[in-house]
Amino acid sequence: MRFAAILTDLDGVLVDSGDAVEAVWRDWAAERGLDAEAVARASHGVPSREVIAAVAPQLDAAAEAERVDALHAETGGEALPGAAELLAAAPAGTLAVVTSCGAALAAARLRSAGLPEPAILVTADAVRRGKPAPDAYLVAAQALGAEPSGCVVIEDAPAGVRAGRAAGMTVWAVTTTHGEDELREADRTAADLAALLAPLGLA
């Protein structure tokens, strides 16, 4: 493996939950009298509480996020190509999953997709600032004992790409939820995680 550590996002990289996630956000936005499409666009790769604080600062972000995350947990998801292989093939102590989900939602996502929970799972609960801030990726690197420059981040959303770059890491992106033009800040793009296993030395 050419990198000391692999730090991968969850939704859109390991688990396909995009349509369900957007549906929950659209329903929530409609109930609150907000622009449903604008809220759905703002939701990718960012913790729920920060989405709500940005689109509806008049609401109690913590309370609303708890409700939204409970709805997300009911939607489930399916493993994306390459997800099971990555989790199985990465050497012990070299992989972390870094997500904007809370801990309970992340665990539910992995269970619904039939994927094992990794030893290092950094969720929105573990950091003060979510993506696009670099905090979660820096916490994951520290947990693995890896220097940021030796880490590769795998992301699907612009906010996550920016977070990885802000952390001083190499960033590879998959075009499962966003097009290459939206992920142009990444160092490399691929159709999905399966296409990155060989470059990672795990195929």
Side-chain angles (χ1 to χ4, degrees):
M1 186 173 67
R2 58 177 284 201
F3 297 101
I6 300 169
L7 313 180
T8 177
D9 183 38
L10 178 58
D11 291 301
V13 179
L14 299 177
V15 178
D16 181 6
S17 55
D19 291 344
V21 166
E22 288 198 1
V24 167
W25 279 114
R26 287 192 184 94
D27 289 347
W28 175 84
E31 290 175 5
R32 296 295 183 266
L34 302 170
D35 183 332
E37 291 306 313
V39 171
R41 284 195 302 273
S43 69
H44 289 284
V46 181
S48 297
R49 65 178 185 269
E50 295 185 23
V51 174
I52 293 161
V55 302
Q58 73 279 12
L59 298 177
D60 181 337
E64 294 291 327
E66 186 174 344
R67 179 169 175 269
V68 168
D69 285 349
L71 294 171
H72 284 319
E74 296 173 5
T75 63
E78 297 182 359
L80 283 163
E85 292 83 354
L86 174 68
L87 294 175
T94 67
L95 179 108
V97 173
V98 181
T99 176
S100 293
C101 294
L105 178 54
R109 283 269 193 269
L110 289 163
R111 279 197 306 272
S112 70
L115 296 172
E117 188 168 322
I120 303 296
L121 175 61
V122 179
T123 68
D125 311 306
V127 294
R128 186 175 61 82
R129 301 182 303 165
K131 303 172 188 177
D135 304 29
Y137 281 118
L138 293 172
V139 167
Q142 184 176 30
L144 292 171
E147 291 296 325
S149 59
C151 298
V152 61
V153 164
I154 305 175
E155 269 286 352
D156 70 301
V161 171
R162 291 196 295 274
R165 292 193 66 82
M169 300 173 181
T170 298
V171 181
W172 292 359
V174 292
T175 56
T176 50
T177 63
H178 292 77
E180 286 190 26
D181 58 325
E182 296 176 277
L183 302 169
R184 57 186 175 275
E185 293 181 51
D187 298 292
R188 178 182 193 143
T189 57
D192 56 30
L193 186 56
L196 295 177
L197 295 178
L200 289 169
L202 300 177

